[in-house]
Amino acid sequence: MKTLALFLLFVGNFMYSQQEFPTVNVKSIDGETIATSSFNEKDKLYVFSFWATWCAPCIQELEAISEVYEDWKTQLNVEIIAVATDDSRTQKRVKPLVNGKGWSYTVLLDSNQDLKRKLSIANIPYLVVVKNNQIVFVQNGHTPGAEEELLAKLKSL
Amino acid sequence: MKKISLIIAIAFSGISFGQTEEVKEEKKGNFFGGFESNSQWYTNDKNREINHPEDPFRSNSYLNLNYSYGRWTAGIQGESYAPNALQNYNPKYDETNVATYYLNYKSNKLDVTAGYFYEQFGSGLLLRSWEDRSLGINNALRGGKITYTPTDNFMFTALYGRHRSGFDVSGGDVFGFNSDINLFKLLKIESSDLSVGFSYVGRYEETDMINPDFDELTNAYAGRFNFSKGNFYWSTEFNYKSKDGVLYDSNIVDDYTKPGTALLMNFGYSKKGFGLDATFRRLENISFYSEREPEVLAPEKTSIYFNDKLMNFVPSLTKQHHFNLANIYVYQAQSLVYLDPNNGVGKAGEIGGQIDFYYDFAKTTTLGGKYGTKIAVNFSNWNNLKGDYTLFPPDYKTDFFGFGKKYFSDFNIEVTKKLSPKLTSSFAFINQYYNNQYITGASNVTVKTNILAAEFDYKFSNGRAAKLAVEHMWADNDRKNWAALLLEYNFNTKFSMFASDMYNYGYDANANLIDHETDPFDIHFYNVGGAYKKGSTRFALNYGRQRGGLVCAGGVCRFVPPSTGLGFTITTSFN
């Protein structure tokens, strides 16, 4: 019990914010290496959505955003980056699934979860909004219909 | 109890403080990390004849802290299994200690790590070190790693280390080299894309055997390529592991040595609204651990059982289902050579494949309807390698493209249809074949199942939403039929609750079951719980019955004993 208390005290006391988005090499859907620091257009909102082919709520979230994505782009300078955390069991399913669903997102493969680990993401779906290389908003989990709230949030960033 | 609430209050205040704090002006120094704690209060359950373990309250906690300054980053992970780890975790996860630490330097071209690190070469069939807390896997390597990226088209990695095992490291030394080259980019060929890769992995472990028929250094090589042109893509990799002692009854014996191979091929064609993907894989004796012989960690349980000292990652290439009942008879990839003198089973690997098909019926077409219809079909089939298996003396000889006894197959189809702007539905049919005698060897039972499942999601306004899922499985053997129900309600985007039940009925308790110790009678596996989330933090509480069986992630599984009790989870990341 004491140890748990110590652990939690640590949590309370080390709550400094990480503002900078980590630079990690990930792969594009075609297998090319891409550094996350290349998403660096000034004042553009980059929404990194962590998902996997086996994660039903993740797919539900990306499907919902997909329907309003074109509309969002007319209102905001925003890009959705779907980061597939699939390991080699399901990674080959990413490309046909993305195309099969007709998504127009930029898709990245984080196959040994280096980026996910750097952000200490325990569960997916998980959204990280980055602006000028700074993390400006985080959302964990998905609730059907939450994309309206997300759009309002994005507009305020 | 008072103490706990005080601690939670402190944690809460810290979290809210962390989120309201203004952006620090100096950008050089940066703290980041995360905390996760999974606790369980095990209770007695008369109906299930389950008594809670001696320590009924158990918890696994992980605190990860990192600090970066310019190009340098240092980090440490502490883990606490107090007063004891959750049931059936590796006994080497004991009490509280520093688990991993590292120092990293990263420039545009150079990435150097000393301490513990994670790495994967290619698809991981020879080397993968990773962390999966739900499975109790953390085989980070302790040593050093250098990655050099001279241009966008080259990446080279060299590493040395020993695998983490509990709070210690394993006795085997691991050496690795990997290269990835974007060949066509380099040659400025633009109409198509070709990248190639080569890996070497060495595992050195001394042996007590006199005149062993294998080298103490086991060499493994892999070559691979990825090709794509327009909508078409094709990748292949071949892995070879040099001759090494094969386990027989958990030991290395004289004159029983074999090399190992793994061949993986994947083809696909996809364009907007259509995707087709096919995979073929053949594995032979490709199980690979940093120590040749498993360590006995509990009565009749070795380090292999606990996924300890793993060198590589051999996932089962089947669909990872999200419906509960489709995860009762789960396939596990067969990489291990196993000759069982008790029932005469002989296996040396697996051969098979899977096909995926996705299609999006566009809106306003006949099948698409007003809002569109999406369909996903998957089929996988896995067999033993065809060959001659002899038990005394242990030996085998396989045909390269021969299919032996069938292990497993899964045919499934899932249709997702939006019925109105507020209501989405999805329907699935799953047909499985599961040969337990050959997959786990626990019994000689083969099960055939048919599963029907439907799921409905309804959106109200202001983040309120409801989900209903119903499933039924018809099984011809083992525990026969199951029915399952799940209800979920989101009060807003932050707070949700759920209630679920799985009910097993229709079988004879005296039948030949796969495992007699996991609830051999009709029973409701009910669960209720709630979750609250804010920013990166999530709290979840649940009470109910855990079915004994396999919990799998990414095709690697951990056995969870049957239990009843209260579970509590906190996860947060500091950003």
Side-chain angles (χ1 to χ4, degrees), chain A residues 8 32 63 67 89 93 99, chain B residues 7 185 270 273 318 418:
Chain A
L8 290 168
E32 285 165 30
E63 288 269 46
E67 300 205 347
R89 174 176 185 189
R93 202 170 273 143
N99 284 327
Chain B
I7 293 159
K185 286 260 157 46
S270 76
T318 58
K418 199 168 180 175

Side-chain angles (χ1 to χ4, degrees), chain A residues 3 7-8 15 17 20 32 60 63 67 88-89 92-93 96 99-102 112 120 126 140 143 145 149, chain B residues 7 33 96 123 128 185 193 235 270 273 316 318 354 356 358 360 374 378 418 457 493 533 535-536 573:
Chain A
T3 353
F7 256 79
L8 290 168
M15 274 298 167
S17 298
E20 225 168 279
E32 285 165 30
Q60 203 174 45
E63 288 269 46
E67 300 205 347
S88 56
R89 174 176 185 189
K92 296 293 182 199
R93 202 170 273 143
N99 284 327
K101 299 270 184 201
N112 205 24
S120 291
Y126 195 100
N140 88 83
T143 314
E149 213 175 293
Chain B
I7 293 159
T96 303
S123 71
R128 185 190 188 201
K185 286 260 157 46
D193 203 13
S235 68
S270 76
S316 47
T318 58
Q354 73 171 330
D356 277 286
Y358 298 90
D360 181 3
K374 298 185 182 194
N378 166 274
K418 199 168 180 175
D457 286 279
T493 54
K533 60 193 167 77
S536 67
S573 56

Side-chain angles (χ1 to χ4, degrees), chain A residues 18-76:
Chain A
Q18 180 205 16
Q19 297 297 333
E20 225 168 279
F21 191 62
T23 301
V24 170
N25 287 333
V26 290
K27 297 258 168 155
S28 77
I29 202 166
D30 293 316
E32 285 165 30
T33 305
I34 293 177
T36 50
S37 55
S38 64
F39 298 94
N40 57 4
E41 189 186 316
K42 196 174 182 301
D43 291 337
K44 184 169 183 172
L45 291 171
Y46 293 101
V47 181
F48 290 86
S49 169
F50 290 81
W51 69 291
T53 57
W54 44 263
C55 166
C58 304
I59 289 172
Q60 203 174 45
E61 176 169 52
L62 288 166
E63 288 269 46
I65 296 176
S66 175
E67 300 205 347
V68 290
Y69 190 29
E70 287 309 309
D71 181 45
W72 284 17
K73 285 203 270 194
T74 62
Q75 303 180 47
L76 288 164

Side-chain angles (χ1 to χ4, degrees), chain A residues 9-20 135, chain B residues 14-26 29-34 64-68 536 572-575:
Chain A
L9 274 172
F10 256 119
V11 178
N13 294 329
F14 278 92
M15 274 298 167
Y16 286 90
S17 298
Q18 180 205 16
Q19 297 297 333
E20 225 168 279
I135 296 170
Chain B
I15 287 155
S16 48
F17 172 72
Q19 286 186 338
T20 49
E21 202 182 17
E22 284 304 302
V23 183
K24 282 260 175 354
E25 274 306 282
E26 79 266 39
N30 217 354
F31 255 116
F32 61 98
N64 180 274
L65 297 171
N66 307 269
Y67 184 73
S68 69
S536 67
T572 188
S573 56
F574 321 143
N575 52 38

Side-chain angles (χ1 to χ4, degrees), chain B residues 181-196:
Chain B
I181 302 162
N182 293 335
L183 200 63
F184 279 15
K185 286 260 157 46
L186 190 70
L187 302 171
K188 299 201 164 56
I189 298 171
E190 285 180 355
S191 60
S192 52
D193 203 13
L194 179 71
S195 59
V196 295

Side-chain angles (χ1 to χ4, degrees), chain B residues 23 81 161 265 498:
Chain B
V23 183
Y81 302 90
M265 282 196 276
F498 79 93

Side-chain angles (χ1 to χ4, degrees), chain B residues 86-344:
Chain B
L86 297 177
Q87 282 194 312
N88 230 30
Y89 269 77
N90 191 337
K92 288 178 113 177
Y93 291 125
D94 188 25
E95 302 193 341
T96 303
N97 218 326
V98 170
T100 63
Y101 48 83
Y102 70 89
L103 177 66
N104 172 263
Y105 170 86
K106 190 175 187 334
S107 68
N108 284 341
K109 292 186 176 174
L110 208 57
D111 186 338
V112 185
T113 307
Y116 287 88
F117 57 87
Y118 301 94
E119 179 62 60
Q120 176 178 318
F121 290 171
S123 71
L125 282 166
L126 293 182
L127 183 126
R128 185 190 188 201
S129 64
W130 81 107
E131 180 183 33
D132 190 317
R133 292 169 183 174
S134 63
L135 300 177
I137 293 178
N138 187 326
N139 65 340
L141 284 159
R142 189 183 76 188
K145 178 178 86 158
I146 300 176
T147 299
Y148 178 56
T149 320
T151 73
D152 287 348
N153 297 324
F154 289 101
M155 187 158 91
F156 303 105
T157 302
L159 62 83
Y160 163 77
R162 286 184 168 203
H163 283 122
R164 179 185 168 198
S165 170
F167 287 110
D168 203 354
V169 288
S170 102
D173 294 292
V174 178
F175 308 88
F177 171 80
N178 185 58
S179 59
D180 279 310
I181 302 162
N182 293 335
L183 200 63
F184 279 15
K185 286 260 157 46
L186 190 70
L187 302 171
K188 299 201 164 56
I189 298 171
E190 285 180 355
S191 60
S192 52
D193 203 13
L194 179 71
S195 59
V196 295
F198 173 78
S199 311
Y200 165 79
V201 176
R203 188 272 322 264
Y204 179 81
E205 193 207 12
E206 285 179 6
T207 176
D208 298 337
M209 283 177 82
I210 304 155
N211 294 327
D213 188 29
F214 55 83
D215 294 331
E216 290 185 323
L217 175 67
T218 306
N219 296 303
Y221 308 89
R224 58 186 174 271
F225 70 82
N226 257 302
F227 173 81
S228 67
K229 185 173 171 61
N231 298 323
F232 174 76
Y233 57 92
W234 173 25
S235 68
T236 295
E237 69 170 82
F238 185 73
N239 302 265
Y240 176 82
K241 182 181 75 161
S242 68
K243 191 170 76 171
D244 191 20
V246 179
L247 286 180
Y248 185 65
D249 200 16
S250 294
N251 294 298
I252 302 282
V253 290
D254 270 336
D255 299 330
Y256 184 31
T257 58
K258 297 277 181 188
T261 58
L263 171 67
L264 175 67
M265 282 196 276
N266 176 260
F267 312 86
Y269 179 86
S270 76
K271 58 179 191 179
K272 216 158 184 114
F274 174 81
L276 183 67
D277 186 85
T279 301
F280 169 83
R281 188 171 76 180
R282 183 190 189 276
L283 304 176
E284 178 172 334
N285 184 28
I286 202 74
S287 69
F288 201 9
Y289 294 87
S290 46
E291 290 174 11
R292 282 185 187 88
E293 295 189 325
E295 182 184 359
V296 177
L297 296 172
E300 292 185 36
K301 287 173 187 170
T302 68
S303 51
I304 293 179
Y305 176 90
F306 291 109
N307 296 311
D308 199 359
K309 302 172 189 177
L310 279 168
M311 291 282 295
N312 59 349
F313 177 56
V314 187
S316 47
L317 298 181
T318 58
K319 183 164 178 177
Q320 199 157 332
H321 292 289
H322 63 270
F323 287 109
N324 282 322
L325 299 184
N327 286 310
I328 290 179
Y329 298 108
V330 194
Y331 182 60
Q332 289 160 284
Q334 302 293 312
S335 58
L336 201 71
V337 173
Y338 190 67
L339 300 172
D340 189 341
N342 298 320
N343 59 15

